[in-house]
Amino acid sequence: MSDLFSVKAGYSGMNLQIAATLDGVLVAVGEVPIHGARHDAHAYAASGLAERLRDLPSVADLGYIGVEGINTVPHKRSPGIDLDPSQVEFNTALGRIRAAVEHAIAHLKTWRMLSEEGGRYRYPISKYESTVAAIVGLYFFAAYE
């Protein structure tokens, strides 16, 4: 797992892409975990989530600007140029919507293995994908039982 180690974060990591409703209910997790050093825009397609959400409207953060299949992203401030008031208002409203998704991520991370605080995956990387699939399956089983 040394190739997954992030000096900046101080631990090894993978990128899981998730989709949630505007109410913060987790509805999908990308089937393929992506190396943590990859950009979110790449991870979205490579995880399989883009294909699963192909026909649905979607909202995302600045990491997804220009990504095919993402309908709504915040306005990005250009260097030295402030956003106009309507863009700031739009970004604020979008941030409120995205807060629900952050709650869904936090809820998924209650599965200790997926959290940063002591859970970190330590088994052979070849088993990571099947382990995450099992955790996600158990999560949905427990949530919708």
Side-chain angles (χ1 to χ4, degrees):
M1 292 245 306
S2 62
D3 66 325
L4 299 176
F5 187 78
S6 167
V7 175
K8 180 179 178 183
Y11 55 85
S12 302
M14 295 293 279
N15 183 326
L16 287 178
Q17 296 287 300
I18 73 142
T21 65
L22 298 179
D23 297 329
V25 177
L26 184 70
V27 293
V29 177
E31 298 164 358
V32 180
I34 306 302
H35 190 289
R38 295 304 308 254
H39 193 277
D40 286 339
H42 167 79
Y44 179 66
S47 70
L49 197 58
E51 181 63 28
R52 293 173 71 188
L53 302 177
R54 178 181 56 235
D55 299 326
L56 299 172
S58 54
V59 175
D61 63 24
L62 288 171
Y64 296 86
I65 289 178
V67 175
E68 185 177 338
I70 301 292
N71 305 93
T72 308
V73 293
H75 293 285
K76 185 175 182 177
R77 181 185 166 280
S78 298
I81 303 172
D82 290 333
L83 296 175
D84 65 50
S86 64
Q87 291 173 322
V88 171
E89 186 177 329
F90 175 82
N91 284 358
T92 301
L94 194 59
R96 288 188 184 116
I97 291 170
R98 288 188 47 252
V101 176
E102 297 300 331
H103 289 278
I105 293 169
H107 196 137
L108 182 61
K109 282 186 172 183
T110 61
W111 288 80
R112 187 175 173 100
M113 183 182 216
L114 298 177
S115 73
E116 296 172 5
E117 294 81 24
R120 295 182 205 96
Y121 186 80
R122 293 180 178 90
Y123 302 102
I125 196 64
S126 61
K127 296 182 188 259
Y128 187 82
E129 188 172 337
S130 60
T131 303
V132 169
I135 292 169
V136 170
L138 289 170
Y139 173 86
F140 282 114
F141 178 76
Y144 299 104
E145 181 178 31

